[in-house]
Structures are given as structure tokens and as C-alpha cells.
Amino acid sequence: MIGELYERALEGAHRVEIEDAAGRRRPLPIGDWLALRPGDAALLDRCAGPTLDVGSGPGRLTVALTERGLLALGIDIAPHAVALTVASGGPALCRDVFDQVPGAGLWQTILLADGNIGIGGDPVALLRRAGELLGRGGRILAEVAGPGTRSHTEQVRLRMAHTVGEWFAWARVSADDIGVFAAGCGAAVDEMWEEAGRWFVSLRF
């Protein structure tokens, strides 16, 4: 999520919502990002080697990987989110995944948790970029929407009372369709699993 409203939500004292183009609103799930939650352990268990956490937010996964002794780096476009990660003991940089990223071509695992496969609204472009950052034999671990949901891209923005942020594109990718998106960038699904009502996939190039 983007901008000042996201950072204010991370402070914990403000109710921030996601609003779509039709005016529908839902809470920004900040609580899901601040501490480990059901399903995270199985995701972390599959991380091997140097791991890049894309859209790391306040860094719960980056910190957990570091505590497990893995080399990990979180990247996020929100300075406050990066600061929270660092304060919790996880390495993190304020960086856009499509810009210059340290260790390009060397990462063994790339995380796209919490639906971050939707960053930028173009899952194929994001997966292709992630593939460029992976080292030989590496894989992408992504969280997707459950079977039976519809894959789509939409314009959304953040809202706090009468204050609104700028529109930005976000995509939702269903477990039913992830193979098609993967094939669009030369990758393939080599594992899919469900844990605590959440769906995840492993992709290899």
C-alpha cells in the first residue's frame, strides 16, 4: 500500500480503509502484518538460502527469517515500514522491486507474501522481475487467493475518514490461475499448499 496514509496506519492509531473504484471499502489489514500469524510458519519453513522479502511492510517475515539464521532482506517503498523492520532486528531497505535491488541474480528465495503478487497490478511483469533477481535454482514463494476466486486487476486507494490517497493498481491472483500467470513469464508451479485458510505457491524458472 502506498503513501502517507499507509504509514499512519502502521502507527496503529488510525483506521485506514482500502477503497475501490466502485466506492466499496474494506479495512486495511494492518494487524495481519505486525506479527506472525497462522500460515506464516509453513511459508518460512520453505525459505532456503538468501531470501528477499518483497513488500516486506513492518517486517515480520524478514525478522523471523533473520532470527532463524537465514540471510534475509526486506524491501518496501514506505520509509516508516522499513524503520519498523530495522528496529525489530531485520535488515531492510526503502526500495521499489522494479528499481535497483542489491544481490540481483543471487537470491535463492523471493517472498511475495500477503498478496504482494499483486504489486503494480501486473503479476506477469512482477514475476518476470522476480525471476531476474533469483539465482540459479532459486524459487518464488507467493501467497495467492483461494480457488474459486476471480483473478483481476483494479484501481484502489487508501482512505482515512475524509482524507484519501492516490489511486494505484493492484492485482488479485487466484490459485486457479497462477499457472497461467507463471507460464507468461517462463515459470512453472512446483508446489501449492493451503495453511490456515491461506493459499501459497512455489514457482521455479
Side-chain angles (χ1 to χ4, degrees), residues 156-168:
V156 295
R157 64 183 178 181
L158 300 187
R159 174 183 286 273
M160 186 181 72
H162 299 296
T163 302
V164 295
E166 295 181 359
W167 293 102
F168 60 94

Side-chain angles (χ1 to χ4, degrees), residues 32 35-43 60 143 195-198 200:
D32 288 346
L36 292 178
R37 61 190 180 110
D40 284 346
L43 182 64
R60 76 183 193 283
E143 184 170 356
E195 183 80 20
R198 300 164 66 191
F200 304 89

Side-chain angles (χ1 to χ4, degrees), residues 113-138:
D114 303 320
N116 282 343
I117 193 171
I119 289 173
D122 187 342
V124 172
L126 179 60
L127 292 174
R128 185 177 294 119
R129 173 57 176 157
E132 294 171 352
L133 298 173
L134 279 176
R136 185 180 181 89

